[in-house]
Structures are given as structure tokens and as C-alpha cells.
Amino acid sequence: MNRLDQTGAAAAPSPASASGPLRLDVVTIFPDYLRVLDLSLIGRAHADGLLDLRVHDLRDWTHDRHRTVDDTPIGGGAGMVMKPDVWGAALDNVLAAPLPAAPASAECAEPAEAASLPAPRRVLVIPTPSGELFTQRTAENLAGADQLVFACGRYEGIDARVAEHYAASGVEVHELSIGDYVLNGGEAAVLVMIEAIARLRPGVLGNPESIVEESHTGAGLLEYPVYTRPVAWRGLDLAATEPVLLSGDHARIDRHRRDQAVSRTAVRRPDLMARLDPARLDAGDRAALTRNGWVAPAGAAHPVPLVVRPALEADLPALADLAARTFPDACPSFLTSEQIAAHIAVNLSPQRLATWLADPRVVLTVAELPDGLPTPPEVPGTSLPPGALVGYSAVVAESLDAAGALPAGLDPRPPSVGVPTGPDGVGGLAAELSKVYVDARLRASGIAPTLLAEAVCDAATMGVTALWLGTNDANRRAQKAYRRAGFRKVGTRTYEVGGERCRDVVMVLNPQETVA
Ligand code: ADE
């Protein structure tokens, strides 16, 4: 017998899998169109009894000599509409087909308990370009049904009362589109849906693990690019472009692939980025997000766009406000608010920031949320308006201007910071990273590492060979973040805040080595 039984009659069920076979009925005026389901994994699953697939000719439910399935639209207009009476007869029949009881477990096999089994979940799917979008979530949902009946429309579609009638009769009805384009009928869409759904049923895929890492599953990222041998092909050498994949270090490989999944999704499907579930993102994912123009703040329902860019004149008021807001977070607890305020008034004033902005020896970078941050209902008060600045960094080069002066506000370089020569053996330039500050609402969201990486890059471009910073001795969190970015501790310094002496750790990095 052909694997695609093309009769409307309910045949004996195939051998059941652990959860019973998924019954699939496709009603169409082109039954042969569905013959491809006989092939490949779906065909094998049908032969193995994991799927019970029936294809029916809609014209079997017509009663006139011409086997008519369509008529002109009521109200006028182009094309033909499929008749509700023919569809009603077909669907009544198919939706009443006896289904094999699902022997979910040994206990359920007892007759008394079998009698109390829940009614099977029968779903009517009507493919249509005006339906809801069929996604991986839809496939996952429909893979849990006992019977899926697909009604393939042609022409202008099926009389709308068909969907209305079955939904009102208690049948679960889904009108689904596979994408924003118009096909000639539902058959090709049904092939797509059946393949996406059936492969999620237990036993259908040879290697169920391959489902775990693919696009549209889990966190909702696209899949990373994959490669196989030969390692070098037509001048594309993975040893040069993807050395991590050849390292044998599986933790690094996982991280690298995940980073690639994030950047691929950001470039190709920004709509998916905006729908990612932050609860499914780890710290590495968050950092990758910010490198790709998105940020997932703690408590936010979804990531929001992030722009890291040079500061502009128009930023000055907001930047001064941000600087004043974030500096206290980095101060030791023994400082009074008056001492901190006195420091801010001199060192982070709008005038100082304006001077920096006008000075080519200073690179001021800001992190902006162009769309702002919507308030999650559970964390009131965390919203930010479109264009909000949420982080900044400043790199101040130790070079003299025409008048022989150093940049305003440059701290004296501690003696522990040496200045190596440049890559060509000449020159050498020191710069202070002064510093990386992020709004408390966006802590641990990956903005600081991104600003830091940007600052190191900028410093490399400026020819800096010693990028140094001082950070409070007690601020272990900041030191750890700088260490992670490649800075190492070379000494300590004393640093005055509002007249009070604080002890700082001094850390340094050579941007020429890091960026090369
Ligand atoms: N029928 C015609 N176009 C379709 C689409 N995009 N999705 C589902 N069914 C369709």
C-alpha cells in the first residue's frame, strides 16, 4: 500500500510510538502534491508508525457531476472561493476519524483508566497568507496534538464561515501563514508545516540533539555558521579565520559559536533580537549582545537597541548628569557625599566635559539607548527615555599641545606605569583611561566591557602603548572587569576625592598588543 493512504476512510492505526502516532490528515484538490511526504525522514516516520499520514481528495465530498469545489465571491470581486458545504462535509468526516488511544504509561492501559483518558486533541489548520505567522513555537505547540487536519485552500481561499463554524463547535482552529508572500494554495505551506512539526515528535529525528542547538529554539537565536573538512577550501582557511574551532577547547568553542549566533541574529534578524528572552542569556551572551548593538538590562522583558558612539556637543548636559550620577558608585564608603560632590564639581563638571570634547587628545565615548528602556511592570521607575545616555568612557592621552600643556584633568602618571616603545621600536605614548562608568540600572548588562573594548581600540589608533587607570582599592568588581579586559595591576597610588586621600590600584594595558 502507498504510504500516503489517499482515502477518506479511517484505516487501522499504525503501530504506536510511546506517545501514540501523530495523525495527520491533509485535505486538498491536489493529493499528488503531497506525495513528497513519502520521502526522507517524514516518509520513514510514517512507515515506522510514528506518524499516521492520510491525504484526502476534497472532490470526494462533492455531489455534482463536475465535482465542483468553488464558486464566485458573494459581493463580487476577482477569483473563486471554495464552497463551505463541500469543506464542511470533508472536515466533519475527517475530524471524526477514530484515533488510537495513547498508551502513555502502563497504568493507563487498565480498562477503567483508559475510559477516563482525556479526549484527543484534534486541531484544524487552515494555511492562508492572512493567518497568524507559523513559527517554531507554533510547531512545538502543534507537535503536542493527537490529530492535525490541514485544509488546503486554492483560488481566493476557503469561505470564512468554515473556520468560524469549527471554532464555534469547539474544535481548535488555527489559520496560519508561513510567511509574508502569497502562494497559489495551501499545499506547499502544509509541506513546510508538517516537516517542522513532525521532526519534533519523539523518534522522528535520528539525532534529537540536533534540535537543541538549531535556529529558533532555546533563547531564540539563529544558528551559528557550521563547517566541515577540508579545513582550507578555495582560499578560505579555517585555521586563519576560525582558529578557536580547531583548538579542541570545548568551552571556548561553545562561547565562540554562541557569539556568532548573536552577531548573525543581530545582522540578519533584528526582529528576533527584540524578542529574545533575557532569562535565557548568560553573561557572555549579554556581552555579545552589546557588541552587536543590543542590551538586555536586568529585569527588562526584552533586549533594547544600544549605540556606542563618540560623544557630541549635544550630549554635554546629559553626559554631565550621567557622570555625576555614576561617580559616587565607584567611591569607597568612607567618603562623605560633600567630598564626592566637591570632586564632581571640579573634575566632572559640564565645563570639564566640554573641554575634553574640544580636545583632540581626549576620546569621549558614550553608550546610548536610542529607543530608551520601557518600564517592566514589576520594576517601576526603571524606564529611560529614547536617547538616554547610560554609559561613557574617556581616554586622555599624555601629550602636549602647541602651548606645551597637558590635557585638562589628566592625573599624574604613577611611577609604576612605564611607557613601552611603539611596534616600530620608536615613540610610545601613555594615556589615562578615565574611566568607564555605567548607569546602575544597566549594571552587568555587558555595556562596561563593550565601552572598555572600544576605549582600548581608540587608544590603539591614537598610538597609545600604555593605557593606565586608577581604581579604588576596595572596588574588587571593577578590578576584575579591567583584568578580564587585559589590564594588569602594576602598583598603587593615592587619589584625592574632595580633600580625602583614597588608595587606588593602578592597572595598565598595552593597546598595541591587545588590538594587534
Ligand atoms: N497560502 C497562500 N499563501 C500562503 C502562505 N504564505 N502561507 C500559508 N498558506 C498560504
Side-chain angles (χ1 to χ4, degrees), residues 278-299:
R280 305 184 84 148
L281 303 173
D282 64 20
D285 297 336
R286 286 169 200 276
L289 245 66
T290 60
R291 288 196 297 274
N292 286 281
W294 291 83
V295 62

Side-chain angles (χ1 to χ4, degrees), residues 127-129 176-179 181-183 185 189:
T128 162
L176 298 174
S177 165
I178 61 163
Y181 39 79
V182 179
L183 306 167

Side-chain angles (χ1 to χ4, degrees), residues 25-110:
D25 291 272
V26 185
V27 185
T28 167
I29 57 168
F30 295 120
D32 285 347
Y33 205 119
L34 282 299
R35 281 193 181 276
V36 288
L37 288 174
D38 225 359
L39 306 172
S40 189
L41 284 176
I42 304 299
R44 204 174 68 210
H46 180 68
D48 292 348
L50 300 169
L51 303 174
D52 179 7
L53 180 60
R54 323 276 175 120
V55 179
H56 314 268
D57 187 342
L58 178 68
R59 295 191 199 273
D60 290 348
W61 282 279
T62 57
H63 296 292
D64 64 319
R65 207 156 49 90
H66 301 290
R67 300 178 28 112
T68 309
V69 293
D70 58 344
D71 203 342
T72 53
I74 292 179
M80 300 291 275
V81 178
M82 296 190 99
K83 288 164 66 60
D85 46 342
V86 179
W87 273 109
L91 295 176
D92 284 351
N93 187 299
V94 172
L95 284 164
L99 297 182
S105 63
E107 309 93 76
C108 288
E110 296 296 324

Side-chain angles (χ1 to χ4, degrees), residues 126-184:
I126 305 179
T128 162
S130 45
E132 285 175 26
L133 193 63
F134 176 84
T135 65
Q136 189 66 23
R137 301 290 88 72
T138 324
E140 284 161 7
N141 173 20
L142 295 181
D146 297 298
Q147 183 190 24
L148 298 175
V149 176
F150 295 92
C152 299
R154 282 265 150 183
Y155 319 120
E156 294 306 307
I158 302 173
D159 186 305
R161 287 169 295 178
V162 173
E164 191 183 325
H165 163 77
Y166 286 100
S169 325
V171 176
E172 185 179 334
V173 178
H174 296 276
E175 293 183 75
L176 298 174
S177 165
I178 61 163
D180 294 341
Y181 39 79
V182 179
L183 306 167
N184 284 338

